[in-house]
Amino acid sequence: MNSIVERLKEVRSQIENACQQCNRSPDSVQLLAVSKTKPASAIRALYQAGQRSFGENYLQEALSKQQELKDLEALDWHFIGPIQSNKTRDIAAHFAWVQSIDRVKIARRLNEQRPNSLPPLQVLIQVNIDDEASKSGVAPDEVAHLAASIAQFPQLTLRGLMTIPAATTSAKAASESLSAMQSLYSELASQYPTVDTLSMGMSNDLAPAIAAGSTMVRVGTALFGARETT
Ligand SMILES: *Cc1c(COP(=O)(O)O)cnc(C)c1O
């Protein structure tokens, strides 16, 4: 059986290969380990192998793992799940990044609730690039408006965009979605100097996402194995 550390090496080498294919430097793509439903012990094992950034979708689950892992230094927690208003206070206090901002109301609450003792929350706007009813995120033509609001909030730093493309589309449709994200992202980056992150690509589409300019891939299954519940 593959150990989790071997799977980490495997995923890192997939990232390096994908970068090589499109003449990008391997350190231009960060790896976010998506640990939802997985135990704190698995996170600890990856941490010991050098992984520092972890993504969680469910607040209560994340808070209890953070508690178990509070002896680990310089661990970056990213909130990547849908956000309800009544969760913003804890999210603002316990995460370094939030990748799933999809409305001004949530951004405003996170800004107000981010403790002054912490650096600004690093945020990404989630884009529903394939216009799926089941997914959160703004439509592409709403990005500019939400970005302009976020830019006015002192406790938030706008870092870029996140997307989860549709799982079932053809290769051609998938590549059109990835390049639509790439254009949206470069437009945003040209307007806001703090924008440097395009969070795109998961276990099954790392390479095409990297070819389309992703700077952060979010990998769960390929690192931790399949999840029992989705
Ligand atoms: C679960 C999840 C992932 C990881 O997906 P895998 O296919 O397991 O790699 C990435 N991003 C988000 C937002 C997720 O919810």
Side-chain angles (χ1 to χ4, degrees), residues 3-223:
S3 77
I4 194 162
V5 173
E6 284 162 358
R7 288 193 294 244
L8 176 62
K9 282 191 193 138
E10 173 60 26
V11 169
R12 283 200 185 128
S13 81
Q14 281 177 25
I15 294 171
E16 277 164 30
N17 290 341
C19 286
Q20 226 161 33
Q21 294 288 314
C22 53
N23 288 317
R24 292 182 57 188
S25 144
D27 29 283
S28 65
V29 180
Q30 265 186 277
L31 172 61
L32 181 74
V34 176
S35 43
K36 62 178 175 227
T37 80
K38 300 299 177 181
S41 57
I43 296 175
R44 189 177 291 276
L46 284 188
Y47 179 92
Q48 279 157 358
Q51 178 65 27
R52 288 293 176 272
S53 300
F54 293 87
E56 289 281 343
N57 298 58
Y58 311 108
L59 180 63
Q60 290 316 317
E61 180 195 330
L63 294 179
S64 74
K65 287 187 238 176
Q66 289 178 351
Q67 195 59 29
E68 281 184 68
L69 296 166
K70 63 173 190 272
D71 58 306
L72 303 183
E73 276 167 33
L75 200 163
D76 263 341
W77 292 102
H78 293 227
F79 193 83
I80 63 174
I83 304 175
Q84 296 156 290
S85 300
N86 64 349
K87 302 285 167 64
T88 52
R89 186 172 299 281
D90 275 332
I91 292 172
H94 296 281
F95 288 82
W97 287 66
V98 176
Q99 300 205 1
S100 42
I101 307 256
D102 65 356
R103 51 203 195 277
V104 175
K105 180 186 175 189
I106 293 295
R108 179 181 295 114
R109 289 174 66 94
L110 290 170
N111 175 62
E112 285 166 6
Q113 295 168 342
R114 178 68 167 174
N116 282 318
S117 57
L118 295 176
L121 194 57
Q122 308 299 300
V123 305
L124 303 180
I125 294 172
Q126 182 173 350
V127 181
N128 188 355
I129 194 65
D130 293 310
D131 192 23
E132 293 174 281
S134 62
K135 296 235 171 91
S136 332
V138 298
D141 65 0
E142 295 166 340
V143 168
H145 174 250
L146 184 50
S149 302
I150 292 173
Q152 294 180 333
F153 294 139
Q155 290 296 91
L156 306 183
T157 301
L158 179 63
R159 297 291 294 271
L161 302 176
M162 183 272 260
T163 195
I164 313 171
T168 53
T169 48
S170 66
K172 180 165 175 286
S175 105
E176 282 169 7
S177 301
L178 295 175
S179 42
M181 283 301 300
Q182 186 169 28
S183 335
L184 266 181
Y185 172 70
S186 48
E187 202 175 305
L188 194 69
S190 72
Q191 282 179 285
Y192 297 95
T194 55
V195 166
D196 60 2
T197 304
L198 177 56
S199 173
M200 182 165 88
M202 310 194 288
S203 295
N204 287 332
D205 66 344
L206 283 187
I210 289 171
S214 168
T215 70
M216 186 185 292
V217 291
R218 309 178 309 271
V219 178
T221 308
L223 286 173

